[in-house]
Amino acid sequence: MITQKHLYGVIVTAVLASLLVFYPVFFADYAFTDEAHQLWNNKDKSNFIMFLNQGRLITGWIIDTAFGNMSSVSSIKYLRLLSLGSLIFFVMIYAVYSRKIVQQLEIGKFVWLLSVLFIPFSLSSAVYVGWASCAEIFLATAFAFLSGYVLFGKVNTSDQYIKIPFSAILLSLLLALASLFTYQTAFGFFLLPFVLYFIKAKEVKLHRALVIGVGFYLFCYLVYFLLFRYSLKLYDVPASTRAEIKIAPLEKLSFFFSYPLAQAFSFNFLYNAKSILSQAFYPIVILFWILTIYYRQAKKNIASLLLYVLYIFLLLMLIYLPLLISQENFASYRTMFALNFVVTVMLVDACLWFLKSKKTVAAVSIAIAVVSGAVAVYNYQFNFNKPLEKEYRVLRTYFDANYTVQTDTVIFRRPPVYLFKNDFSVNYYTDEFGYPSTEKDWTADPLFRQFVLEKTGSRTVAEKLVVIQYPYSDETGFNTAVKNGSGLVIDLFRLYAGENKHEEKK
């Protein structure tokens, strides 16, 4: 029994844990990749169009409004704080309503406790809070969860006939569309109650509640797609290539089992496709999970076991559906929260099932929470935030010290992707953890113009700045430009390492 006292205690614990993990966001200054473009171009509606043509109309409104009210790199932190606030809001929403689901399905209270704490401890959460461009995703996840909760409450019944009021269908659909128009992969969280229902069902079959849930889930995608196409026509903009549908079953199956599933079954540790340890870890975890199913089903026949595993994998693929029907094969952590959450809950439930003593379950759960919290602190503060803070501080300090009113050109050599390796012992993962802000070719130009704007107060002067940039691999081109040109010369790799001795050429 999860009492009201338990609920309040868990919410307070999760909120305090959130603040412990993410407190640097109150002070951190940097502009991470897209943020520089969004800040510099905050008045031309390009932020809105960029998300609109990806099917994220609501996100377009949020980001366009937020950046439209910013005037400096330092002010980006307020959008990150808004993201932290939405995380805490989602913690409360999830804790209150999932408590009811957990009690209905007779899921252990420590599984519930750890699922609440997973929200601030998730790798995805570190990205959502640390990257202002992702500030909308917890809002999308809350919409998705509430949509699934509304429908599940009507279909989880033992009555012979299921009657779903039209008001419930409409409310669930509206919440689903709000989620999809904010961030598509977040909508996978809709299926959480139905996956938990299937896990706790006594028979391995397609129960009617599950069939209705999946059917409605797919119906929501259909309605969303039609409305998305209409929104493009209404605003007279073309769809982004990211929004194009690609039906390639074999390719997508290979992608799903190679990256998303591998990350999901790696608990909360960063998955490195180049690491033998990472590649070996997740198959072992999957094997352990399958063994727990075998014993929980009282060693039923192999056919039943394989059917159960197949159903679970199909549900996990449905959770990650937007990336399995789109052009991209890119399993970034910002797309992984729903999938990681569901898999982690499954694994925690499997681990705790083996423990028969209540004291042992409590002790192990506390240990898991402490370890997960420590990993979360390290993931956000040392793998994400601190490296970006140092990169920005080094670059901004040098620029402010060497820029003069005569400076009309910046010759810039972008850093390598492994810039933070020596300082922070972090590898780079997709384009998120351990990834330098200025490695991307679309970051430097708006970032330096923003620096000039903040230093001079004149957008006209900033617009006249010429930014000539080279990737780290093109040292020859960079050196030639330095030799033949004039302007403020910045080699970020050397500057970061304290070796940049370049001064502005007169």
Side-chain angles (χ1 to χ4, degrees):
M1 179 68 178
I2 302 173
T3 64
Q4 201 75 12
K5 185 178 179 180
H6 287 141
L7 175 63
Y8 294 147
V10 166
I11 289 177
V12 170
T13 301
V15 170
L16 292 176
S18 302
L19 296 175
L20 174 65
V21 173
F22 297 112
Y23 78 87
V25 77
F26 286 89
F27 318 104
D29 285 330
Y30 58 82
F32 186 44
T33 60
D34 295 354
E35 294 172 357
H37 174 87
Q38 290 164 332
L39 178 60
W40 172 250
N41 297 283
N42 63 350
K43 301 296 184 182
D44 63 5
K45 294 298 178 182
S46 61
N47 288 329
F48 174 71
I49 298 300
M50 178 175 66
F51 289 102
L52 169 66
N53 65 15
Q54 295 180 40
R56 302 170 190 170
L57 177 67
I58 295 175
T59 295
W61 289 331
I62 293 171
I63 297 298
D64 189 56
T65 301
F67 277 97
N69 287 283
M70 294 180 191
S71 58
S72 66
V73 171
S74 181
S75 60
I76 298 175
K77 72 164 68 75
Y78 297 111
L79 185 52
R80 299 189 192 110
L81 286 170
L82 178 64
S83 184
L84 176 59
S86 69
L87 183 156
I88 292 172
F89 170 74
F90 179 63
V91 163
M92 296 177 180
I93 291 291
Y94 173 78
V96 170
Y97 292 104
S98 66
R99 170 189 173 217
K100 298 179 181 180
I101 297 172
V102 163
Q103 292 190 142
Q104 288 175 8
L105 300 178
E106 299 180 351
I107 295 172
K109 67 179 179 181
F110 284 103
V111 175
W112 172 72
L113 162 66
L114 291 171
S115 73
V116 176
L117 288 176
F118 179 81
I119 297 170
F121 293 166
S122 167
L123 283 160
S124 299
S125 298
V127 178
Y128 299 164
V129 174
W131 194 351
S133 301
C134 299
E136 76 285 353
I137 302 182
F138 270 119
L139 183 63
T141 308
F143 287 145
F145 173 63
L146 291 173
S147 176
Y149 174 82
V150 169
L151 184 67
F152 183 75
K154 303 303 179 183
V155 300
N156 182 32
T157 175
S158 58
D159 294 346
Q160 184 177 0
Y161 299 104
I162 295 177
K163 297 178 181 179
I164 309 175
F166 177 75
S167 58
I169 295 174
L170 181 61
L171 177 58
S172 184
L173 178 60
L174 291 175
L175 288 166
L177 293 174
S179 176
L180 286 162
F181 274 109
T182 306
Y183 198 80
Q184 295 94 328
T185 54
F187 184 52
F189 214 92
F190 170 97
L191 288 176
L192 174 68
F194 300 94
V195 175
L196 295 179
Y197 175 88
F198 180 73
I199 291 172
K200 288 302 177 180
K202 292 182 170 57
E203 297 178 6
V204 181
K205 67 177 185 178
L206 294 177
H207 305 270
R208 60 179 183 170
L210 183 62
V211 172
I212 293 171
V214 169
F216 187 78
Y217 178 74
L218 296 175
F219 172 73
C220 290
Y221 274 112
L222 176 61
V223 175
Y224 161 74
F225 178 75
L226 295 174
L227 290 176
F228 166 52
R229 302 304 299 184
Y230 175 74
S231 70
L232 295 177
K233 184 177 180 181
L234 183 66
Y235 285 95
D236 193 26
V237 296
S240 165
T241 54
R242 280 185 166 185
E244 292 180 7
I245 294 176
K246 181 179 181 180
I247 306 300
L250 293 180
E251 177 187 331
K252 290 298 184 177
L253 277 173
S254 175
F255 160 67
F256 181 73
F257 283 93
S258 297
Y259 292 98
L261 200 66
Q263 291 180 16
F265 276 91
S266 294
F267 285 99
N268 214 29
F269 300 103
L270 286 164
Y271 173 75
N272 185 355
K274 298 178 181 179
S275 166
I276 296 176
L277 179 62
S278 286
Q279 291 188 43
F281 182 74
Y282 89 89
I284 293 172
V285 174
I286 290 178
L287 180 61
F288 163 77
W289 169 68
I290 292 175
L291 286 174
T292 63
I293 297 168
Y294 178 67
Y295 283 101
R296 291 177 84 166
Q297 291 182 358
K299 301 180 182 179
K300 290 183 180 180
N301 60 65
I302 297 299
S304 175
L305 173 66
L306 293 177
L307 185 61
Y308 181 92
V309 172
L310 175 62
Y311 284 161
I312 289 291
F313 281 156
L314 288 174
L315 287 170
L316 297 181
M317 291 174 69
L318 285 172
I319 289 171
Y320 208 60
L321 184 63
L323 267 294
L324 296 183
I325 60 173
S326 68
Q327 289 282 353
E328 287 190 338
N329 288 336
F330 188 58
S332 56
Y333 282 104
R334 58 187 176 273
T335 67
M336 288 289 297
F337 182 76
L339 182 60
N340 282 347
F341 190 96
V342 170
V343 170
T344 300
V345 171
M346 284 179 7
L347 292 175
V348 168
D349 183 57
C351 289
L352 297 185
W353 177 81
F354 276 108
L355 308 175
K356 305 306 178 185
S357 164
K358 291 183 178 179
K359 289 184 178 180
T360 305
V361 169
V364 170
S365 298
I366 293 171
I368 291 173
V370 171
V371 171
S372 297
V375 171
V377 168
Y378 190 82
N379 282 337
Y380 174 70
Q381 297 184 19
F382 293 92
N383 286 337
F384 192 94
N385 184 76
K386 287 184 181 295
L388 294 176
E389 277 194 284
K390 179 177 179 181
E391 178 194 11
Y392 177 77
R393 183 177 65 253
V394 167
L395 181 60
R396 186 63 185 263
T397 300
Y398 185 82
F399 183 90
D400 286 347
N402 291 276
Y403 176 85
T404 68
V405 291
Q406 289 79 34
T407 303
D408 59 3
T409 303
V410 173
I411 304 173
F412 181 62
R413 186 185 181 199
R414 303 197 306 270
V417 291
Y418 55 82
L419 178 67
F420 304 138
K421 179 66 176 177
N422 289 337
D423 256 9
F424 297 95
S425 300
V426 57
N427 294 305
Y428 66 93
Y429 299 84
T430 63
D431 60 348
E432 298 161 329
F433 292 93
Y435 208 101
S437 292
T438 51
E439 196 277 337
K440 296 291 189 182
D441 61 4
W442 60 77
T443 301
D445 190 276
L447 184 62
F448 287 124
R449 294 181 191 280
Q450 182 65 33
F451 286 175
V452 174
L453 174 60
E454 292 181 31
K455 195 169 180 65
T456 66
S458 172
R459 191 170 185 91
T460 301
V461 172
E463 287 173 343
K464 291 179 180 178
L465 183 72
V466 176
V467 179
I468 304 171
Q469 58 175 304
Y470 296 86
Y472 180 74
S473 58
D474 191 5
E475 184 175 12
T476 301
F478 174 74
N479 289 336
T480 300
V482 171
K483 181 179 179 180
N484 298 331
S486 63
L488 181 59
V489 177
I490 304 176
D491 184 333
L492 187 55
F493 180 74
R494 292 182 181 179
L495 182 62
Y496 187 87
E499 299 172 1
N500 195 323
K501 304 300 181 182
H502 292 298
E503 293 183 0
E504 183 175 3
K505 298 174 66 176
K506 306 298 183 183

